[in-house]
């Protein structure tokens, strides 16, 4: 399963990375001084994608098994809960996360993210939401996965495409999906906005993006 997840995250990393850079206000080939933190980094595909855009990128995930297999020597990887970040207060200049915070207690995680972000630091968080209902529907999931095989194989080759499709159809991943509960769009704005006052929100295809710069005095 981990191989399939790694391939899947790797194929999405360029687009995910571009969305994060846009949220952080990084344009073109611009590089930023400072330390960036990827919360819920998984296989570290996005952290690797963005590693040359910051002085240093740190990946953090609660799943030690997937971090052990990530094999990214240039990126420090930390096994930890987003709700209890083992990092010093105001030690991180940029924080980003994709599709991870709904697995956590968002209030605790957001409080920790704000704590470790330095004054003037920037945050870009992307996660899934439901259209003002508590649980996202997944009609036609199997068909969408099967029909994605051709696209994956064209970009990654047959073996990688097969791994991704089998991973997304595996019982373990299906159980994972069934356990996912997403905030409604309204609740997402309410919860995130309470910790990130003045944040900007955007919504696209079931994903919410929130961007915020930490004031020098809260």
């Amino acid at each position: 399963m981990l191989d399939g997840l790694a391939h899947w995250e790797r194929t999405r990393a360029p687009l995910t990375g571009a969305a994060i850079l846009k949220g952080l206000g990084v344009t073109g080939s611009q590089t930023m001084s400072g330390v960036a933190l990827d919360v819920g980094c998984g296989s570290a595909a996005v952290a690797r994608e963005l590693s040359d855009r910051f002085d240093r990128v740190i990946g953090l995930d609660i799943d030690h098994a997937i971090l052990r297999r990530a094999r990214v020597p240039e990126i420090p990887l930390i096994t930890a809960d987003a709700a209890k970040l083992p990092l010093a207060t105001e030690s991180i200049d940029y924080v980003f996360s994709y599709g991870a915070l709904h697995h956590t207690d968002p209030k605790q995680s957001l409080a920790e993210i704000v704590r470790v972000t330095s004054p003037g630091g920037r945050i870009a968080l992307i996660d899934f939401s439901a259209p003002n209902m508590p649980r996202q529907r997944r009609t036609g999931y199997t068909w969408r996965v099967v029909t994605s095989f051709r696209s994956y194989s064209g970009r990654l080759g047959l073996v990688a495409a097969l791994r991704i499709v089998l991973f997304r159809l595996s019982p373990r991943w299906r159980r994972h999906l069934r356990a996912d509960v997403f905030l409604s769009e309204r609740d997402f704005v309410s919860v995130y906005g309470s910790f990130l006052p003045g944040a900007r929100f955007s919504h696209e295809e079931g994903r919410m993006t929130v961007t915020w710069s930490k004031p020098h005095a809260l």
Side-chain angles (χ1 to χ4, degrees):
M1 176 172 169
L2 292 176
D3 286 343
L5 176 62
H7 281 289
W8 191 24
E9 292 186 345
R10 194 175 305 148
T11 191
R12 296 183 302 170
L15 288 177
T16 302
I20 289 168
L21 290 176
K22 180 180 178 181
L24 292 174
V26 181
T27 59
S29 59
Q30 182 181 14
T31 58
M32 310 299 290
S33 61
V35 179
L37 173 67
D38 183 355
V39 178
C41 67
S43 65
V46 176
R48 177 187 288 145
E49 179 75 18
L50 301 182
S51 61
D52 62 347
R53 307 301 293 271
F54 305 93
D55 288 342
R56 188 184 187 204
V57 175
I58 300 170
L60 180 143
D61 200 282
I62 200 169
D63 190 336
H64 179 68
I66 195 168
L67 291 182
R68 189 175 64 247
R69 299 187 62 168
R71 300 189 186 97
V72 191
E74 69 273 21
I75 299 174
L77 299 176
I78 302 171
T79 302
D81 189 338
K84 297 178 181 179
L85 296 176
L87 299 166
T89 297
E90 299 183 351
S91 61
I92 303 297
D93 303 292
Y94 303 90
V95 180
F96 59 87
S97 179
Y98 181 89
L101 294 186
H102 68 274
H103 295 302
T104 74
D105 180 319
K107 294 181 180 180
Q108 292 182 15
S109 298
L110 288 167
E112 280 290 270
I113 286 171
V114 171
R115 179 185 68 79
V116 303
T117 302
S118 63
R122 303 178 193 174
I123 292 174
L125 309 174
I126 304 173
D127 207 349
F128 305 104
S129 66
N132 294 319
M133 59 185 186
R135 188 177 290 271
Q136 184 188 51
R137 291 186 175 184
R138 299 183 180 86
T139 56
Y141 175 79
T142 300
W143 176 249
R144 292 198 304 273
V145 173
V146 170
T147 55
S148 70
F149 177 81
R150 182 175 181 180
S151 174
Y152 285 133
S153 62
R155 285 178 289 162
L156 304 172
L158 293 175
V159 174
L162 183 61
R163 285 176 175 170
I164 292 171
V165 169
L166 291 177
F167 155 72
R168 295 183 65 190
L169 294 177
S170 67
R172 182 178 173 184
W173 184 249
R174 285 177 176 271
R175 287 194 298 271
H176 170 89
L177 290 179
R178 286 194 294 270
D180 276 343
V181 177
F182 304 125
L183 293 172
S184 69
E185 296 166 15
R186 186 181 302 112
D187 288 344
F188 190 103
V189 172
S190 175
V191 171
Y192 281 65
S194 66
F195 287 89
L196 311 173
R200 295 184 178 183
F201 294 87
S202 61
H203 176 264
E204 182 179 4
E205 297 181 352
R207 290 187 297 272
M208 295 288 290
T209 299
V210 54
T211 58
W212 187 68
S213 293
K214 185 173 181 178
H216 286 274
L218 280 177

